[in-house]
Amino acid sequence: MVAEILTVLAPQPGEIAVDGTLGYGGHAQEILARILPGGKLLGLDADPVELPKTESRLRALGFSAEIFAAHRTNFAGLPQVLAAQQIPGADMILADLGVSSMQIDDPTRGFSVKLDGPLDMRMNPQRGQPASSLLQKIDPEALVKLLVANADEPNAAHLAPALAGKAFTSTLHLASTIRTTLPRLSKDDSEGTVRRVFQALRIAVNDEFSALDTFLRLIPEHLKPGGRVAILTFHSGEDRRVKKAFASGQQAGAYARISDEVIRPTPAEQHSNPRSASAKLRWAIRVK
Ligand SMILES: C[S@@+](CC[C@H](N)C(=O)[O-])C[C@H]1O[C@@H](n2cnc3c(N)ncnc32)[C@H](O)[C@@H]1O
C-alpha cells in the first residue's frame, strides 16, 4: 500500500520522517526520495538480523547518515531515538506492523508455517524466550486465553490441551500437530487455524500488543503540529488498538482529523501480493 501511505503522509522536502518498522526499507526508500533535499528519515526496527542488511542497502542507494539513520530498537523506544538524534518532533510517523517477508522466508527465524525451522519467532533473537519455551511452560487454560486474545482462534479450547506444556522441536512439528488435533476441519479452516496459532504465539513472544499500546500513546507528543501518522495493521487485535487510540487522541484534542474508514489494498494489490489481503491502513493528523 505504498501509494496509499504516500498520499496519507504527503512527505515534502525538508521534513522529518520516522519509520517505526523499517523492515526491507521499501516504504522508507519512497519517503526518503520525497523529503530530500533537507529532510531526514529515522528507521527503527527490533530485528538485529535484517536491520544491518537494510541499512547497507539504503546506504548503497546513496542515503548517507545525514539523511537516514537506522536504529535497532523497539518502536516503543521512539522518545529515546528522537532524543539521541536531537530531533524534537517528526512531521510524519509510519508503522507497518508484524513481520517482514525476509523474516518469514528465513526458516531459521521460525515464523513460517511452510518452512521447517526452530520454533523461535523472536524479532530480536537476543531477547526474551522462543515460542517453543513459551509453549512448554504454559498451561492449557492460559493458552486458550492467549489464542483467543491474540488471534480470535475459534478452536482454542480444543487445541490447547494438545499444545500446552509440550516440547515442540520445530515449526512443522507444531503445524502438523495442530492439523492432526483438528482432523474434521476442512483444509482451508485447518490452515487458517495453523496461521492464527502461529500469529498468536508470535504476538506473545514479542509482546507486540504492549509495544503497540506504548507507541500509540507516545505518537501525539512526538509529532510536530500538523504532523501525520499512518499505521498499517494485519489483524483485528492490532486494528482495534489503532482505531481506539486515534479516536481518543481526537477526543483529547491531540488529533485534528482521523480516518473515518480503514483504507484497504486495491484488488490488484491483493492479487499480486496475497500477504496484503488483510492489511488495513488508518491515519491521524496532529492539531496545528
Ligand atoms: C511488515 S515489516 C515492515 C516492512 C517495511 N514497511 C518495508 O517497506 O520493507 C515489519 C517490520 O517491523 C519490525 N517490527 C515489528 N514490530 C516492531 C516493534 N515493536 N518495534 C520495532 N520493530 C518492529 C519487524 O522486525 C519487521 O522488520
Side-chain angles (χ1 to χ4, degrees):
M1 295 184 75
V2 176
E4 291 85 347
I5 285 172
L6 291 172
T7 301
V8 164
L9 293 178
Q12 302 298 322
E15 288 193 323
I16 302 288
V18 170
D19 183 347
T21 54
L22 185 66
Y24 182 71
H27 289 117
Q29 190 179 328
E30 295 294 333
I31 293 170
L32 274 163
R34 287 161 177 80
I35 59 176
L36 297 179
K40 181 159 191 174
L41 182 137
L42 312 180
L44 283 52
D45 205 298
D47 186 338
V49 180
E50 293 298 335
L51 184 70
K53 300 182 199 165
T54 296
E55 184 175 4
S56 306
R57 197 178 75 78
L58 292 176
R59 292 268 177 266
L61 290 174
F63 299 117
S64 68
E66 247 173 62
I67 51 185
F68 162 65
H71 288 261
R72 215 283 315 139
T73 177
N74 193 295
F75 53 48
L78 174 68
Q80 289 77 14
V81 172
L82 289 173
Q85 292 282 336
Q86 298 180 313
I87 290 175
D91 294 288
M92 75 205 79
I93 296 179
L94 168 67
D96 170 13
L97 300 177
V99 273
S100 67
S101 301
M102 296 101 66
Q103 290 167 326
I104 295 171
D105 294 341
D106 177 351
T108 67
R109 306 298 301 271
F111 292 111
S112 173
V113 301
K114 293 191 183 131
L115 306 170
D116 206 13
L119 190 63
D120 193 314
M121 301 197 192
R122 287 172 294 179
M123 288 181 197
N124 180 354
Q126 290 148 12
R127 294 190 63 176
Q129 60 173 347
S132 54
S133 304
L134 185 153
L135 272 179
Q136 201 160 6
K137 288 183 203 151
I138 201 166
D139 62 58
E141 210 176 300
L143 184 58
V144 172
K145 285 194 188 136
L146 186 154
L147 294 175
V148 172
N150 293 2
D152 299 316
E153 174 48 48
N155 302 297
H158 194 142
L159 271 175
L163 309 183
K166 306 281 181 344
F168 286 96
T169 48
S170 75
T171 48
L172 293 194
H173 180 199
L174 174 62
S176 66
T177 306
I178 297 168
R179 292 186 194 105
T180 50
T181 308
L182 301 166
R184 299 223 177 103
L185 289 189
S186 70
K187 187 160 177 5
D188 278 0
D189 287 348
S190 173
E191 292 317 303
T193 292
V194 171
R195 272 198 309 279
R196 285 190 297 272
V197 171
F198 272 60
Q199 172 189 302
L201 292 173
R202 192 202 80 212
I203 288 170
V205 161
N206 295 290
D207 212 1
E208 292 180 31
F209 287 160
S210 51
L212 179 58
D213 289 340
T214 304
F215 186 56
L216 289 166
R217 182 169 47 74
L218 291 168
I219 288 171
E221 61 188 285
H222 293 94
L223 273 178
K224 287 187 194 168
R228 294 83 66 196
V229 51
I231 310 225
L232 197 53
T233 66
F234 290 87
H235 58 86
S236 60
E238 291 172 344
D239 183 55
R240 276 197 296 269
R241 284 174 158 79
V242 176
K243 183 180 177 184
K244 201 168 148 211
F246 284 178
S248 36
Q250 189 178 35
Q251 269 168 12
Y255 292 127
R257 288 171 54 215
I258 61 171
S259 44
D260 295 328
E261 301 289 334
V262 288
I263 302 170
R264 306 294 313 273
T266 59
E269 178 161 8
Q270 293 188 41
H271 183 74
S272 66
N273 173 14
R275 279 179 193 164
S276 76
S278 54
K280 290 181 181 167
L281 178 65
R282 289 188 188 272
W283 54 264
I285 301 177
R286 180 99 171 85
V287 287
K288 288 225 163 111

